[in-house]
């Protein structure tokens, strides 16, 4: 039986091997095979983020918001000053979490579709000193990709720690955690990491761990506190049984499978494939005459595309696209929510998946009364894909 493709910015389509692992009988969390798989997954997470051996990975049962909560709960002390680079919905969530743990937050924001440059961040850092700077690598509400490397460089020069929300970017957009000096790179399982929803993933730099160790105030969250989780992560990596709170056994096993698949492809190849697929989708959308939320292709994400509805077409388009075989997402950024939709294309996504999706969009636009020349989006996307062969 055919089912529509899940082409939203997470959860995504997962590989057969990952789904088969989800269906395996659940093991004990102290079973030696499970311990070995968890230990390997922790090492592999470092490799996927291109982090150093002295960086500390954490894998927690929870969603991406828990990964954000965990980073902030452990690294922010009441009264700390935090600069949030605000590129959309999820940057504001990060600001809320920082305030919840007692930080004084400044936002450096831009209108939807724009991004903040390293130069603008450097200017702000000259005005004020910040303990922490947070960046949303790809803001899922606008499809904007932010210059993590450039901003991290200026933030570290100014003596701030850097937390990067990579939920819609990790294992897809280029990230070299050690080389770029990112203190926390965090994500969730359900996007390019390629595992059903339910895992929060973080890798923390030695400087980040030092800031946590030097805290004077206790961590204000019981579940997120790294004092409880660090010994567990060290035990699994050292192949010793341990327990604080039951891990999501099948999800962790599926994670170990997915990370191996990602590493078998190779990180540079993974980044290049996402660039090619992302460029192909954007070429197809442009050929249809649709605008996009990011104001410049140079800062558009490769993990999702945010086309604007053409005149006379509204959200009912998405129901038609679904009937033609692809599930897409509506807008998310409150001020422009009804003006655009979102196509996710990350993880194990193939060229065929995006061609099928663009075909469904094209046909549905025509059914919505918009004059889209048959095949025009597919031809544009295929021309990009052919360039990558
Ligand atoms: N940050 C970003 C950039 C996201 O895209 C999301 C989820 N779409 C989150 C954080 C929150 O993740 P979750 O929904 O898994 O809690």
């Amino acid at each position: 039986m055919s089912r529509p493709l899940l082409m939203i910015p997470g959860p995504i389509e997962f590989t057969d091997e990952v789904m088969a692992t989800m269906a395996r009988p659940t093991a004990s969390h102290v079973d030696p095979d499970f311990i070995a798989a968890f230990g390997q997954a922790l090492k592999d997470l470092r490799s996927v983020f291109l982090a150093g051996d002295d960086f500390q990975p954490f894998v927690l049962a929870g969603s991406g918001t828990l990964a954000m909560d965990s980073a902030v709960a452990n690294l922010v002390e009441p009264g700390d000053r935090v600069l949030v680079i605000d590129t959309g919905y999820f940057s504001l969530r990060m600001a809320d979490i920082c305030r919840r743990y007692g930080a004084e937050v400044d936002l450096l924001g831009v209108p939807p579709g724009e991004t903040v440059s390293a130069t603008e961040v450097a200017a702000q850092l000259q005005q004020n000193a910040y303990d922490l700077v947070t960046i949303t690598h790809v803001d899922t509400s606008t499809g904007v990709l932010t210059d993590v490397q450039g901003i991290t460089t200026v933030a570290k020069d100014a003596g701030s720690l850097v937390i990067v929300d990579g939920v819609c970017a990790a294992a897809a957009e280029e990230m070299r955690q050690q080389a770029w000096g990112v203190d926390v790179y965090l994500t969730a399982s359900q996007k390019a990491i390629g595992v059903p929803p339910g895992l929060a993933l973080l890798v923390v730099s030695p400087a980040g761990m030092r800031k946590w160790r030097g805290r004077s105030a206790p961590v204000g969250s019981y579940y997120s506190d790294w004092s409880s989780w660090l010994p567990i992560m060290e035990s699994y990596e050292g192949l010793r049984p341990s327990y604080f709170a039951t891990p999501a056994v099948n999800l962790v096993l599926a994670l170990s499978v997915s990370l191996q698949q990602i590493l078998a492809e190779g990180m540079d190849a993974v980044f290049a494939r996402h660039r090619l697929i992302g460029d192909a989708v954007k070429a197809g959308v442009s050929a249809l005459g649709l605008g996009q939320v990011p104001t410049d292709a140079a800062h558009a994400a490769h993990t999702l595309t945010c086309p604007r509805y053409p005149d006379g077409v509204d959200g009912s388009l998405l129901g038609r696209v679904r009937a033609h075989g692809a599930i897409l997402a509506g807008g998310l950024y409150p001020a422009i929510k009804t003006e655009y939709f979102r196509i996710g294309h990350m993880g194990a996504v193939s060229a065929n998946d995006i061609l099928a999706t663009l075909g469904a969009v094209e046909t549905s636009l025509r059914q919505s009364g918009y004059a889209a020349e048959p095949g025009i989006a597919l031809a544009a996307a295929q021309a990009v894909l052919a360039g990558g062969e």
Side-chain angles (χ1 to χ4, degrees):
M1 194 180 76
S2 77
R3 59 173 178 82
L5 281 171
L6 186 55
M7 299 295 289
I8 64 173
I12 60 165
E13 294 285 336
F14 304 114
T15 66
D16 292 346
E17 294 78 9
V18 163
M19 293 316 288
T21 306
M22 292 300 294
R24 276 170 48 184
T26 299
S28 158
H29 58 288
V30 290
D31 180 277
D33 289 345
F34 176 70
I35 294 173
F38 200 156
Q40 188 60 45
L42 292 167
K43 291 189 199 317
D44 289 347
L45 192 58
R46 274 195 203 94
S47 304
V48 166
F49 289 3
L50 297 166
D53 289 344
D54 49 354
F55 283 53
Q56 181 58 50
F58 293 91
V59 173
L60 310 176
S63 77
T65 305
L66 178 75
M68 299 165 83
D69 186 274
S70 170
V72 173
N74 285 280
L75 291 184
V76 165
E77 293 202 64
D80 277 359
R81 299 205 59 175
V82 178
L83 178 65
V84 172
I85 310 303
D86 170 19
T87 48
Y89 186 93
F90 290 102
S91 309
L92 293 177
R93 176 170 299 186
M94 186 65 98
D96 276 349
I97 298 172
C98 290
R99 287 191 202 99
R100 184 66 66 94
Y101 288 106
E104 287 176 30
V105 175
D106 286 343
L107 294 173
L108 189 56
V110 281
E114 295 189 7
T115 188
V116 178
S117 70
T119 317
E120 288 162 311
V121 177
Q124 180 70 23
L125 292 169
Q126 285 203 326
Q127 310 267 311
N128 284 302
Y130 293 96
D131 300 285
L132 246 164
V133 173
T134 75
I135 308 167
T136 312
H137 197 171
V138 167
D139 202 292
T140 325
S141 69
T142 56
V144 162
L145 171 70
T146 292
D147 173 15
V148 169
Q149 184 181 12
I151 295 176
T152 301
T153 303
V154 298
K156 301 296 287 192
D157 284 351
S160 311
L161 285 185
V162 176
I163 296 179
V164 179
D165 170 353
V167 174
C168 199
E173 300 285 1
E174 183 175 4
M175 161 52 61
R176 302 180 188 278
Q177 190 176 0
Q178 181 172 32
W180 294 359
V182 170
D183 292 298
V184 178
Y185 196 49
L186 64 89
T187 191
S189 50
Q190 75 271 18
K191 303 209 190 202
I193 289 285
V195 175
L199 291 178
L201 314 171
L202 305 89
V203 175
V204 185
S205 73
M209 294 307 289
R210 271 198 301 281
K211 158 99 166 131
W212 167 71
R213 283 200 181 87
R215 287 180 69 94
S216 38
V219 172
S221 159
Y222 181 79
Y223 185 78
S224 282
D225 191 343
W226 292 345
S227 313
S228 302
W229 288 113
L230 180 60
I232 305 303
M233 299 303 136
E234 288 175 339
S235 294
Y236 275 112
E237 223 183 321
L239 304 180
R240 295 181 303 274
S242 62
Y243 168 76
F244 164 59
T246 309
V249 171
N250 284 61
L251 286 168
V252 171
L253 290 173
L255 177 70
S256 71
V257 170
S258 189
L259 293 177
Q260 287 283 320
Q261 290 180 326
I262 291 166
L263 291 172
E265 184 177 356
M267 294 320 298
D268 286 336
V270 166
F271 301 148
R273 179 170 56 80
H274 282 86
R275 272 198 298 274
L276 186 68
I277 293 266
D279 288 350
V281 174
K282 285 171 179 58
V285 164
S286 299
L288 285 166
L290 272 51
Q292 291 169 42
V293 175
T295 50
D296 191 327
H299 64 246
H302 304 96
T303 49
L304 80 161
T305 299
C306 296
R308 290 183 170 276
Y309 294 113
D311 284 347
V313 176
D314 62 16
S316 62
L317 176 77
L318 301 188
R320 297 194 180 97
V321 177
R322 186 190 174 109
H324 288 289
I327 299 171
L328 306 182
L332 182 61
Y333 191 100
I336 56 168
K337 203 172 160 42
T338 56
E339 297 172 16
Y340 71 106
F341 61 102
R342 297 175 298 150
I343 308 172
H345 35 78
M346 62 190 115
V349 62
S350 69
N352 284 350
D353 295 339
I354 62 161
L355 292 175
T357 303
L358 285 170
V361 170
E362 206 181 271
T363 308
S364 305
L365 280 169
R366 270 196 303 283
Q367 286 178 347
S368 306
Y370 179 76
E373 193 186 313
I376 196 165
L378 298 183
Q382 277 172 315
V384 172
L385 293 169
E389 277 169 6

